[in-house]
Amino acid sequence: MNQLNLNYYGKYAVPETVRGLFEFEQELRAEDLSLDFNLGLIMTQEDIRYMSTPPDVIPFASCGVDGIHYGFLTDFGLAADLEQAYIVCVSPMNMDQEVWIVAANIHEFLRVVYTENSILYHYFPETSHYASYIINREVEDAQESVVRAKHKLQQRFALEPIADMLEYIEGLQQRRQAEVVYPTRYPIGIVQTSSEHKKHERLMIDAMKDGPDPEDVELFFKTATVESRLAFIRDAQSRHLLDRPLLRECVVKGMADMGLTDEALRLNRSYDYQETIIKLTNTQNTASIVWYTDADDPIE
């Protein structure tokens, strides 16, 4: 197959499962099938980033709708191996919840794709919400091409179907909650990062429309625990406060000082776009066209 251009993974090696999925796509196309049209999964060789994409998430695929994309959660570089890293969904158009965990690792992610992929499009804060969704949804007969593609996916990656999706979702949420030492607005939270035993602090952002002053953030980054600083980054991004260039510049500098070079670059990249606003003449809606770019240096 063609050489992959996946230089945006930073310090991490590209997981073999990702490479395998690109190869699998070629195998499907040889039989007039595809990950995209038959399984709703578009593999990407670009660093898909929106303003809601966390800086410690490395995207690997999208679904082609509403900017929804999937990525490895590195927990700000703590993940030792992306094959075992959590997989998150980023849904930029879902203003109620833009980021949530959908699988414990990429193999589990493929089990979700194979079994029942609703959680890859919808956020269910409670398992009861998922149960209600399943009961009320309209079920259509699967197309023959989809059945074939799923069968090939199962064989290629040795997938076992998830017997009870409700139980799977609940177990996934409980596992992550047990690891989190500092909750955030995005339900991914912050895990134990340092050996500090200081009390965690929260820099108030909700009471201020435009967020704290950069000077206050700079002081906070000098005195607060690592986990407190990382939580601030998550919450400031989720509140869209980092749209402010001066505040974002302050946060990026603080991240660089913490040794989070890759994450600082990714955060900037999330806002490094050109946006054209198109006024639709016959409606009250506004459409945004977003372009993102990434370097083309290939890797072996």
Side-chain angles (χ1 to χ4, degrees):
M1 64 177 295
N2 295 332
Q3 193 177 43
L4 297 179
N5 295 320
L6 297 172
N7 58 301
Y8 64 90
Y9 274 64
K11 72 176 185 180
Y12 286 101
V14 178
E16 287 303 315
T17 301
V18 168
R19 295 184 183 276
L21 283 166
F22 277 104
E23 294 172 356
F24 181 59
E25 174 70 0
Q26 300 304 314
E27 296 168 13
L28 287 179
R29 289 181 182 179
E31 301 190 33
D32 294 323
L33 301 170
S34 78
L35 281 171
D36 179 4
F37 293 109
N38 302 123
L39 296 175
L41 196 62
I42 306 172
M43 299 302 296
T44 180
Q45 296 190 51
E46 298 183 43
D47 188 14
I48 304 171
R49 305 205 80 81
Y50 288 75
M51 289 183 287
S52 52
T53 307
D56 57 335
V57 166
I58 301 175
F60 66 88
S62 71
C63 75
V65 178
D66 292 338
I68 295 173
H69 53 288
Y70 314 108
F72 299 98
L73 177 65
T74 73
D75 279 320
F76 290 96
L78 283 186
D81 179 6
L82 293 187
E83 287 281 358
Q84 301 305 319
Y86 282 104
I87 305 299
V88 302
C89 172
V90 181
S91 182
M93 302 303 174
N94 185 350
M95 297 307 174
D96 292 331
Q97 191 55 256
E98 295 171 286
V99 183
W100 63 92
I101 292 176
V102 295
N105 54 56
I106 193 168
H107 183 79
E108 295 290 302
F109 175 82
L110 294 181
R111 290 182 67 203
V112 172
V113 172
Y114 173 70
T115 305
E116 204 289 300
N117 65 1
S118 297
I119 64 173
L120 304 185
Y121 303 88
H122 306 286
Y123 174 62
F124 301 104
E126 303 289 343
T127 53
S128 60
H129 297 175
Y130 175 79
S132 176
Y133 171 83
I134 293 299
I135 292 173
N136 295 307
R137 68 174 177 165
E138 294 183 10
V139 179
E140 299 179 358
D141 292 335
Q143 298 178 356
E144 183 269 341
S145 59
V146 172
V147 174
R148 286 173 54 208
K150 281 193 171 186
H151 178 67
K152 291 183 176 297
L153 180 74
Q154 181 187 30
Q155 289 187 317
R156 180 69 163 75
F157 295 96
L159 303 177
E160 291 290 333
I162 297 173
D164 188 330
M165 188 61 74
L166 275 171
E167 183 178 290
Y168 178 81
I169 295 172
E170 185 174 25
L172 185 64
Q173 292 173 345
Q174 290 176 349
R175 172 182 165 179
R176 181 61 180 183
Q177 288 171 4
E179 298 170 351
V180 166
V181 298
Y182 202 128
T184 57
R185 183 169 179 264
Y186 290 154
I188 52 181
I190 299 296
V191 299
Q192 186 70 38
T193 302
S194 69
S195 58
E196 294 179 290
H197 297 290
K198 295 165 55 180
K199 182 180 179 181
H200 298 313
E201 306 171 52
R202 191 177 294 275
L203 184 60
M204 295 301 295
I205 62 176
D206 294 338
M208 295 168 278
K209 178 181 178 182
D210 297 323
D213 292 330
E215 293 81 5
D216 294 332
V217 174
E218 184 176 356
L219 178 61
F220 183 75
F221 268 69
K222 289 179 180 178
T223 60
T225 64
V226 172
E227 290 80 6
S228 298
R229 284 174 266 169
L230 297 180
F232 170 77
I233 294 167
R234 284 227 198 286
D235 286 339
Q237 184 181 28
S238 72
R239 299 287 185 187
H240 300 283
L241 299 180
L242 300 184
D243 297 7
R244 295 171 56 196
L246 290 178
L247 183 57
R248 185 168 69 252
E249 181 181 335
C250 179
V251 169
V252 167
K253 180 182 181 303
M255 294 171 70
D257 290 343
M258 294 167 66
L260 300 174
T261 305
D262 287 347
E263 291 80 5
L265 289 172
R266 292 190 197 112
L267 185 64
N268 258 338
R269 198 177 296 150
S270 293
Y271 295 84
D272 184 19
Y273 65 90
Q274 301 175 52
E275 186 178 50
T276 299
I277 303 298
I278 301 175
K279 299 294 184 180
L280 303 180
T281 57
N282 59 344
T283 71
Q284 297 298 317
N285 297 327
T286 301
S288 298
I289 299 178
V290 177
W291 295 266
Y292 52 83
T293 61
D294 194 44
D296 295 325
D297 299 330
I299 66 170
E300 296 296 333

